Amino acid sequence: QVQLVESGGGLVQPGGSLRLSCAASGSIDNIYSMGWYRQPPGKQRERVAVITSGGSTAYADSVKGRFTISRDNAKNTVYLQMNSLKPEDTAVYYCNAFTIQPMKADDYWGQGTQMTVSS
């Protein structure tokens, strides 16, 4: 089992910046990748960014060049730095951990944090 606790959401003006944090605990040795997903109002959840245990990253086209995912292994924490925010970035942001064990793979989710971009 992996537990994820997110923090850092809130209200920000267009063009502003915000950083989300996700602290992992539990069976963290089984984590293959961690990422951020978001669900805008009335829409489906979509992947925003992911970082693997090897440090590889991937981003949705809509956030490339504006968002940066990073991690602090000593703190078991993943961050999402969001710059040049747009109203369309408004969503509930969820942290995800994907774990791999022999013959078993699981997804774990945080509780979600609201991020609103509005003037």
Side-chain angles (χ1 to χ4, degrees):
Q1 295 282 335
V2 174
Q3 294 77 44
L4 303 171
V5 178
E6 303 133 336
S7 61
L11 175 65
V12 63
Q13 293 187 340
S17 297
L18 204 64
R19 190 178 78 162
L20 304 180
S21 301
C22 174
S25 60
S27 301
I28 58 174
D29 289 344
N30 296 326
I31 294 176
Y32 172 75
S33 67
M34 292 186 68
W36 289 94
Y37 289 67
R38 67 185 181 186
Q39 188 165 14
K43 297 184 179 180
Q44 291 187 332
R45 191 175 298 188
E46 59 183 7
R47 192 175 76 172
V48 175
V50 65
I51 185 166
T52 69
S53 57
S56 298
T57 60
Y59 297 90
D61 287 343
S62 58
V63 306
K64 281 181 181 177
R66 299 189 298 123
F67 291 11
T68 302
I69 189 169
S70 62
R71 64 183 189 182
D72 183 332
N73 290 333
K75 296 181 179 179
N76 299 319
T77 299
V78 170
Y79 304 98
L80 185 68
Q81 178 66 43
M82 303 181 289
N83 299 327
S84 303
L85 284 163
K86 306 175 182 179
E88 50 263 43
D89 294 318
T90 295
V92 178
Y93 283 73
Y94 296 91
C95 180
N96 168 268
F98 178 64
T99 63
I100 296 178
Q101 302 176 68
M103 305 297 290
K104 192 174 186 294
D106 290 293
D107 275 302
Y108 295 91
W109 297 93
Q111 78 282 3
T113 184
Q114 176 70 46
M115 200 279 291
T116 302
V117 183
S118 176
S119 55

